[in-house]
Amino acid sequence: RHVVLGIGVNVSQEETELPQHAPTPAASLLTATGSAPDRAQLLASILERLERRYDEWLVGGLPALHGEIAARDALRGRVVTADGRELVARRILEDGRLEGIAPDGEVRALDSGEVRLARP
Protein backbone atom coordinates (compact mmCIF):
# COMPACT_ATOMS: atom_id res chain seq x y z
CA ARG A 1 0.00 0.00 0.00
CA HIS A 2 1.39 3.34 -1.08
CA VAL A 3 0.29 6.91 -1.50
CA VAL A 4 1.85 9.00 -4.23
CA LEU A 5 1.37 12.73 -4.02
CA GLY A 6 2.20 15.26 -6.68
CA ILE A 7 1.82 19.00 -6.27
CA GLY A 8 2.50 21.84 -8.65
CA VAL A 9 2.20 25.49 -7.67
CA ASN A 10 2.55 28.27 -10.20
CA VAL A 11 3.91 31.13 -8.14
CA SER A 12 5.04 34.12 -10.15
CA GLN A 13 4.05 33.48 -13.75
CA GLU A 14 2.43 36.37 -15.59
CA GLU A 15 -0.75 35.71 -17.59
CA THR A 16 1.25 35.55 -20.83
CA GLU A 17 3.53 32.83 -19.39
CA LEU A 18 0.67 30.45 -18.57
CA PRO A 19 -0.74 27.88 -21.02
CA GLN A 20 -3.58 29.50 -22.92
CA HIS A 21 -5.30 26.38 -24.26
CA ALA A 22 -4.92 23.93 -21.37
CA PRO A 23 -7.84 21.55 -20.66
CA THR A 24 -8.16 23.27 -17.28
CA PRO A 25 -7.48 27.02 -17.04
CA ALA A 26 -4.06 27.78 -15.59
CA ALA A 27 -3.31 30.47 -13.04
CA SER A 28 -0.51 31.45 -10.72
CA LEU A 29 -0.56 32.94 -7.25
CA LEU A 30 0.50 36.19 -8.88
CA THR A 31 -2.42 36.22 -11.34
CA ALA A 32 -4.91 35.04 -8.70
CA THR A 33 -3.93 37.41 -5.89
CA GLY A 34 -1.93 40.20 -7.47
CA SER A 35 1.27 39.29 -5.65
CA ALA A 36 3.67 36.37 -5.50
CA PRO A 37 4.69 35.06 -2.07
CA ASP A 38 8.26 34.33 -1.10
CA ARG A 39 8.96 30.86 -2.53
CA ALA A 40 10.96 29.64 0.48
CA GLN A 41 8.19 30.64 2.90
CA LEU A 42 5.55 29.08 0.65
CA LEU A 43 7.51 25.82 0.42
CA ALA A 44 8.05 25.74 4.20
CA SER A 45 4.32 26.27 4.77
CA ILE A 46 3.32 23.53 2.33
CA LEU A 47 5.80 21.04 3.79
CA GLU A 48 4.72 21.82 7.36
CA ARG A 49 1.08 21.18 6.50
CA LEU A 50 1.92 18.00 4.59
CA GLU A 51 3.98 16.74 7.51
CA ARG A 52 1.09 17.38 9.90
CA ARG A 53 -1.30 15.42 7.66
CA TYR A 54 1.29 12.67 7.17
CA ASP A 55 1.60 12.30 10.95
CA GLU A 56 -2.21 12.01 11.20
CA TRP A 57 -2.14 9.39 8.45
CA LEU A 58 0.57 7.40 10.25
CA VAL A 59 -1.55 7.26 13.40
CA GLY A 60 -5.02 6.75 11.95
CA GLY A 61 -4.56 5.80 8.32
CA LEU A 62 -6.62 7.30 5.57
CA PRO A 63 -9.86 7.14 7.61
CA ALA A 64 -8.37 9.78 9.94
CA LEU A 65 -8.23 12.20 7.00
CA HIS A 66 -11.33 11.03 5.13
CA GLY A 67 -13.72 13.68 6.43
CA GLU A 68 -11.45 16.52 5.37
CA ILE A 69 -10.69 14.89 2.02
CA ALA A 70 -14.39 14.31 1.32
CA ALA A 71 -15.26 17.90 2.24
CA ARG A 72 -12.78 19.15 -0.39
CA ASP A 73 -13.79 16.69 -3.11
CA ALA A 74 -13.92 18.89 -6.23
CA LEU A 75 -14.94 15.98 -8.47
CA ARG A 76 -18.15 14.96 -6.70
CA GLY A 77 -21.04 15.04 -9.13
CA ARG A 78 -18.87 15.94 -12.12
CA VAL A 79 -18.33 13.93 -15.29
CA VAL A 80 -14.78 12.58 -15.39
CA THR A 81 -12.77 10.39 -17.73
CA ALA A 82 -10.78 7.54 -16.22
CA ASP A 83 -9.13 4.74 -18.18
CA GLY A 84 -10.83 6.04 -21.33
CA ARG A 85 -14.31 5.75 -19.81
CA GLU A 86 -16.66 8.43 -18.58
CA LEU A 87 -18.06 8.28 -15.08
CA VAL A 88 -19.95 10.62 -12.82
CA ALA A 89 -17.73 10.96 -9.76
CA ARG A 90 -19.76 10.03 -6.72
CA ARG A 91 -17.43 10.18 -3.71
CA ILE A 92 -14.04 9.27 -2.31
CA LEU A 93 -14.26 6.06 -0.32
CA GLU A 94 -12.56 5.65 3.06
CA ASP A 95 -9.92 3.46 1.44
CA GLY A 96 -9.03 6.29 -0.99
CA ARG A 97 -10.67 4.92 -4.13
CA LEU A 98 -12.85 7.15 -6.28
CA GLU A 99 -16.36 5.82 -6.67
CA GLY A 100 -18.21 6.70 -9.84
CA ILE A 101 -21.31 5.78 -11.79
CA ALA A 102 -20.87 4.60 -15.37
CA PRO A 103 -23.39 5.52 -18.10
CA ASP A 104 -24.89 2.03 -17.80
CA GLY A 105 -25.60 2.68 -14.10
CA GLU A 106 -22.86 0.40 -12.81
CA VAL A 107 -21.09 1.72 -9.72
CA ARG A 108 -17.32 1.42 -10.05
CA ALA A 109 -14.48 2.12 -7.64
CA LEU A 110 -11.18 3.18 -9.20
CA ASP A 111 -8.02 1.95 -7.51
CA SER A 112 -5.59 4.11 -9.44
CA GLY A 113 -5.03 5.97 -12.68
CA GLU A 114 -5.38 9.40 -14.11
CA VAL A 115 -8.76 11.07 -13.73
CA ARG A 116 -9.63 14.15 -15.76
CA LEU A 117 -12.67 16.33 -15.98
CA ALA A 118 -14.51 15.30 -19.11
CA ARG A 119 -16.17 18.70 -19.38
CA PRO A 120 -14.20 21.41 -17.56
Side-chain angles (χ1 to χ4, degrees):
R1 297 211 181 274
H2 296 82
V3 173
V4 177
L5 175 68
I7 296 175
V9 180
N10 294 327
V11 177
S12 58
Q13 289 84 352
E14 300 280 348
E15 190 73 38
T16 57
E17 298 174 290
L18 295 166
Q20 300 302 309
H21 302 291
T24 304
S28 70
L29 293 173
L30 175 63
T31 62
T33 67
S35 65
D38 176 84
R39 287 173 185 253
Q41 290 176 346
L42 176 64
L43 178 60
S45 176
I46 291 170
L47 291 175
E48 184 271 326
R49 290 170 188 211
L50 284 174
E51 184 173 18
R52 202 173 339 133
R53 296 297 187 260
Y54 180 65
D55 289 343
E56 291 174 31
W57 179 74
L58 286 174
V59 172
L62 195 57
L65 303 172
H66 185 261
E68 189 171 343
I69 291 169
R72 295 173 188 229
D73 181 0
L75 297 178
R76 185 180 323 140
R78 300 190 67 185
V79 179
V80 298
T81 302
D83 298 327
R85 292 180 267 175
E86 282 195 356
L87 300 168
V88 175
R90 190 168 171 187
R91 63 186 174 140
I92 298 171
L93 300 171
E94 281 204 8
D95 62 6
R97 295 181 298 157
L98 175 65
E99 183 179 81
I101 303 173
D104 63 6
E106 180 184 349
V107 176
R108 296 186 179 135
L110 305 174
D111 294 317
S112 64
E114 185 171 334
V115 176
R116 292 181 176 260
L117 289 175
R119 301 176 193 124

PDB file of all heavy atoms in Angstrom, residues 15 42 61 70 80 108:
ATOM      1  N   GLU A  15       0.306  36.291 -16.753  1.00  0.00           N
ATOM      2  CA  GLU A  15      -0.753  35.710 -17.587  1.00  0.00           C
ATOM      3  C   GLU A  15      -0.203  35.190 -18.912  1.00  0.00           C
ATOM      4  O   GLU A  15      -0.583  34.111 -19.367  1.00  0.00           O
ATOM      5  CB  GLU A  15      -1.841  36.764 -17.847  1.00  0.00           C
ATOM      6  CG  GLU A  15      -3.085  36.212 -18.491  1.00  0.00           C
ATOM      7  CD  GLU A  15      -3.942  35.386 -17.536  1.00  0.00           C
ATOM      8  OE1 GLU A  15      -4.067  35.742 -16.360  1.00  0.00           O
ATOM      9  OE2 GLU A  15      -4.478  34.366 -18.012  1.00  0.00           O
ATOM     10  N   LEU A  42       6.647  29.888   1.180  1.00  0.00           N
ATOM     11  CA  LEU A  42       5.550  29.077   0.648  1.00  0.00           C
ATOM     12  C   LEU A  42       5.889  27.595   0.760  1.00  0.00           C
ATOM     13  O   LEU A  42       5.073  26.792   1.223  1.00  0.00           O
ATOM     14  CB  LEU A  42       5.272  29.457  -0.805  1.00  0.00           C
ATOM     15  CG  LEU A  42       4.211  28.624  -1.522  1.00  0.00           C
ATOM     16  CD1 LEU A  42       2.845  28.806  -0.868  1.00  0.00           C
ATOM     17  CD2 LEU A  42       4.157  28.997  -3.003  1.00  0.00           C
ATOM     18  N   GLY A  61      -4.320   6.223   9.693  1.00  0.00           N
ATOM     19  CA  GLY A  61      -4.559   5.796   8.322  1.00  0.00           C
ATOM     20  C   GLY A  61      -5.421   6.787   7.570  1.00  0.00           C
ATOM     21  O   GLY A  61      -5.739   7.870   8.067  1.00  0.00           O
ATOM     22  N   ALA A  70     -13.054  14.327   1.912  1.00  0.00           N
ATOM     23  CA  ALA A  70     -14.394  14.306   1.319  1.00  0.00           C
ATOM     24  C   ALA A  70     -14.986  15.710   1.233  1.00  0.00           C
ATOM     25  O   ALA A  70     -15.654  16.057   0.257  1.00  0.00           O
ATOM     26  CB  ALA A  70     -15.306  13.377   2.118  1.00  0.00           C
ATOM     27  N   VAL A  80     -16.220  12.737 -15.268  1.00  0.00           N
ATOM     28  CA  VAL A  80     -14.777  12.577 -15.394  1.00  0.00           C
ATOM     29  C   VAL A  80     -14.473  11.463 -16.386  1.00  0.00           C
ATOM     30  O   VAL A  80     -15.338  10.639 -16.692  1.00  0.00           O
ATOM     31  CB  VAL A  80     -14.110  12.253 -14.029  1.00  0.00           C
ATOM     32  CG1 VAL A  80     -14.325  13.379 -13.035  1.00  0.00           C
ATOM     33  CG2 VAL A  80     -14.617  10.935 -13.469  1.00  0.00           C
ATOM     34  N   ARG A 108     -18.687   1.912  -9.975  1.00  0.00           N
ATOM     35  CA  ARG A 108     -17.316   1.418 -10.048  1.00  0.00           C
ATOM     36  C   ARG A 108     -16.447   2.176  -9.056  1.00  0.00           C
ATOM     37  O   ARG A 108     -16.665   3.356  -8.808  1.00  0.00           O
ATOM     38  CB  ARG A 108     -16.757   1.625 -11.456  1.00  0.00           C
ATOM     39  CG  ARG A 108     -17.498   0.834 -12.501  1.00  0.00           C
ATOM     40  CD  ARG A 108     -16.815   0.948 -13.848  1.00  0.00           C
ATOM     41  NE  ARG A 108     -17.549   0.158 -14.817  1.00  0.00           N
ATOM     42  CZ  ARG A 108     -17.864   0.566 -16.031  1.00  0.00           C
ATOM     43  NH1 ARG A 108     -17.479   1.750 -16.439  1.00  0.00           N
ATOM     44  NH2 ARG A 108     -18.531  -0.211 -16.841  1.00  0.00           N
TER      45      ARG A 108
END
